[in-house]
Amino acid sequence: MKPIKIAIADDYTIYRDGLKIGLTQDENLEVMLEAGDGEDLIKGIETNMPDVIIMDLKMPVMDGMEATKHIKKKYPDMKILVVTMYDDEKFVIHLMEIGANGYLLKNAEAEEIRKAIYSVHETGYYFNNIVSNALLKKLVIKGNIKPSFKEGVELTEREQDVLKLICAEKTANEMGKQLFLSPRSVEGIRQRLIDKVGVRNTAGLVMFAVKNGII
């Protein structure tokens, strides 16, 4: 297995150093870029392309929200895992809507952060209680309780099969074996779902599935 390349964006050097130590205990994780603000991060990833970015929110020059927007626009397949002290549901919802693949608090254990990195790298998202509760609350507040497909969106049986397996956190290889498809075909269906539903990433597909009673 090739090491997962990690970038850390956080202006608090002590936390950044501690996180790096915790992550590098796993030989399959390689911290190859560190930045103290969003602008330095964006400059750095132009020459050092990470698989997963661990993103703080409050940083000087350019904060994590602006950096996430910029990166997702230019590198839509790059995974962003927010790790911050802000537990406000508004932050969670906003970050997931602009393309973040997961959201953790800074008091999370190194083991959970490592688990989240593997999850966003392999499946495209990591949903913990913080994210799930925030998204479900948003749906209820909006009154979207009765399942209904987005107008004009019709999914084939195969697309629904893939969507359900995405929600079950299966990798492309696992889905391919179960559905007798190649991983490349699975990825093609996943991208078609993203385009058809009109979301930014796999996390958006999960939100769509929950909202429409598919899972």
Side-chain angles (χ1 to χ4, degrees):
M1 175 181 177
K2 292 174 62 177
I4 300 172
K5 296 179 181 179
I6 311 293
I8 303 175
D10 194 304
D11 69 329
Y12 191 29
T13 306
I14 295 176
Y15 178 81
R16 203 165 65 222
D17 290 345
L19 180 59
K20 183 178 179 180
I21 292 171
L23 295 180
T24 52
Q25 291 177 1
D26 186 329
E27 61 183 13
N28 292 317
L29 301 179
E30 176 189 352
V31 178
M32 40 79 75
L33 176 62
E34 297 179 57
D37 61 70
E39 195 171 276
D40 282 347
L41 172 67
I42 290 168
K43 290 177 182 176
I45 63 178
E46 290 177 357
T47 53
N48 295 289
M49 296 286 285
D51 299 307
V52 179
I53 298 171
I54 296 178
M55 182 85 76
D56 191 14
L57 293 184
K58 189 176 181 181
M59 295 185 290
V61 187
M62 179 187 288
D63 63 39
M65 287 181 281
E66 287 303 314
T68 296
K69 289 178 186 176
H70 182 96
I71 291 167
K72 281 296 182 176
K73 184 176 181 179
K74 191 170 184 179
Y75 310 102
D77 293 330
M78 198 170 286
K79 308 301 187 296
I80 296 179
L81 180 63
V82 175
V83 181
T84 180
M85 70 175 83
Y86 295 100
D87 60 357
D88 190 312
E89 291 170 347
K90 293 178 182 178
F91 280 99
V92 180
I93 292 169
H94 180 67
L95 265 298
M96 298 305 288
E97 286 181 338
I98 64 175
N101 303 89
Y103 195 106
L104 289 170
L105 297 182
K106 280 194 171 181
N107 60 6
E109 297 290 339
E111 183 178 347
E112 184 180 6
I113 296 176
R114 288 194 294 267
K115 177 183 176 183
I117 289 170
Y118 279 108
S119 182
V120 298
H121 182 253
E122 294 171 7
T123 70
Y125 70 95
Y126 178 72
F127 277 9
N128 53 10
N129 288 337
I130 295 171
V131 175
S132 299
N133 291 340
L135 296 179
L136 288 173
K137 185 175 180 180
K138 180 191 175 187
L139 295 178
V140 171
I141 289 174
K142 279 193 169 184
N144 296 321
I145 299 173
K146 183 180 178 181
S148 60
F149 280 101
K150 181 180 176 182
E151 186 176 354
V153 176
E154 292 186 10
L155 303 183
T156 66
E157 184 176 345
R158 179 65 81 195
E159 287 169 344
Q160 290 190 51
D161 289 340
V162 170
L163 182 55
K164 288 174 183 177
L165 291 173
I166 287 172
C167 295
E169 300 187 61
K170 300 295 184 182
T171 65
N173 285 333
E174 291 170 336
M175 285 188 269
K177 288 178 182 177
Q178 191 164 333
L179 299 174
F180 303 103
L181 296 170
S182 69
R184 186 172 181 177
S185 295
V186 170
E187 282 299 323
I189 295 171
R190 185 187 72 86
Q191 188 57 52
R192 191 162 71 237
L193 281 166
I194 288 173
D195 295 338
K196 184 181 284 191
V197 173
V199 295
R200 293 175 181 270
N201 53 25
T202 307
L205 289 178
V206 177
M207 291 169 62
F208 173 83
V210 172
K211 180 178 177 180
N212 290 284
I214 297 172
I215 57 172

